[in-house]
Amino acid sequence: MGRVFVAGSINMDVVATAERHPRVGETVAGSAVLYFPGGKGANQAVAAAKLGAPTTLIGRLGKDAFGEQLRTFLAAQGVDLSFVKDTPEAHTGTAIITVADADNTIVVVPGANALVDADDVAMPVLAKGDIAVSQFEIPQAAITAFFRSARAAGATTVLNPAPARKFDGELLDLVDILVLNETELGLLTGRELRDSDDYTRFIDAAHSLAGSDRIICVTLGKRGVLALVKDEPLIVAGREVKAIDTTGAGDCFVGALASQLAGGNNSRDALGYANAVASICVQRMGAAPSMPTAAEVANILNT
Ligand code: RIB
């Protein structure tokens, strides 16, 4: 079995729940303040580890109370933290999140995540069959260095370009699997896309990023997933569930996909499995704590 290496962000999510989101300039009364481990990198690593893949996280924490709590939580989920550095010169990454009506708004203050560099990602030694995963809450130079050494080792690279940001062709050339939502796809391809659009619009946009062998995987919330695998469109229908908090659902999908690929499953089966895993995540509050175990996934797949 291959291993999963995630180079990415680690945040404490400070979550306020409310009946509805405030408009700009408006104050609304909330109902609760909750603290959840999060950060796209950490969420993806927890998802992969809880599904049984040997998983290593590469990143940085501040030397503060949030950093200590996150380290304890992540270790308890089975994530290898040998390459997570304590960084005295910056605070632990923090996300301020409002959850209302199952939807969220997020402001991320990167802190220590912004200091992840090429030396950090050079330390773990990857091998053929491993899966290297990253997203856009750490500097792009570090991601490029990480994917370059992963490729050289024969590992498969998975990029989740979130939060949405344009990136250069050098990085795209190093990506084997691109996982993104309709907003990110729209930004990268210069189109206005909505999750309700006709599939042909997504297929058309995805084609422009596909390259020769690259898999493009567009997550469409409750509609499921549309992927281009060897240039052939593949649609995995969403599962009907009652979502209460979608924070971290995309990360859950990415971590689950990586765990399945590390286990030797083909991309089509891995996509179907990851779609089911994410449907469990949205039924729970919080990001990293809402990632399900392999037994929970087996349970819904058998019913
Ligand atoms: O994708 C969800 C994550 O985005 C949250 O956990 C938050 O920390 C932000 O990074």
Side-chain angles (χ1 to χ4, degrees), residues 189-219:
T189 60
R191 299 158 209 235
E192 271 219 8
L193 296 173
R194 282 186 201 81
D195 60 2
S196 52
D197 281 349
D198 197 82
Y199 286 127
T200 52
R201 297 206 68 212
F202 300 120
I203 294 169
D204 197 43
H207 265 299
S208 65
L209 295 172
S212 51
D213 267 340
R214 185 173 307 120
I215 295 177
I216 310 292
C217 179
V218 188
T219 54

Side-chain angles (χ1 to χ4, degrees), residues 3 29 55 63 187 214 243 255 260 265 268 271:
R3 300 160 299 163
T55 304
K63 266 184 93 55
L187 180 101
R214 185 173 307 120
Q260 297 308 289
N265 290 313
R268 283 163 200 270
L271 288 166

Side-chain angles (χ1 to χ4, degrees), residues 9 11 13 38-40 43 95 97 106 108 137 247-248 251 287:
S9 57
N11 295 333
D13 292 351
K40 296 183 192 303
N43 297 339
I97 303 181
I106 306 181
V108 186
E137 286 185 337
T247 314
D251 305 330

Side-chain angles (χ1 to χ4, degrees), residues 263-280:
N265 290 313
N266 67 47
S267 47
R268 283 163 200 270
D269 291 348
L271 288 166
Y273 186 87
N275 183 55
V277 180
S279 77
I280 302 177

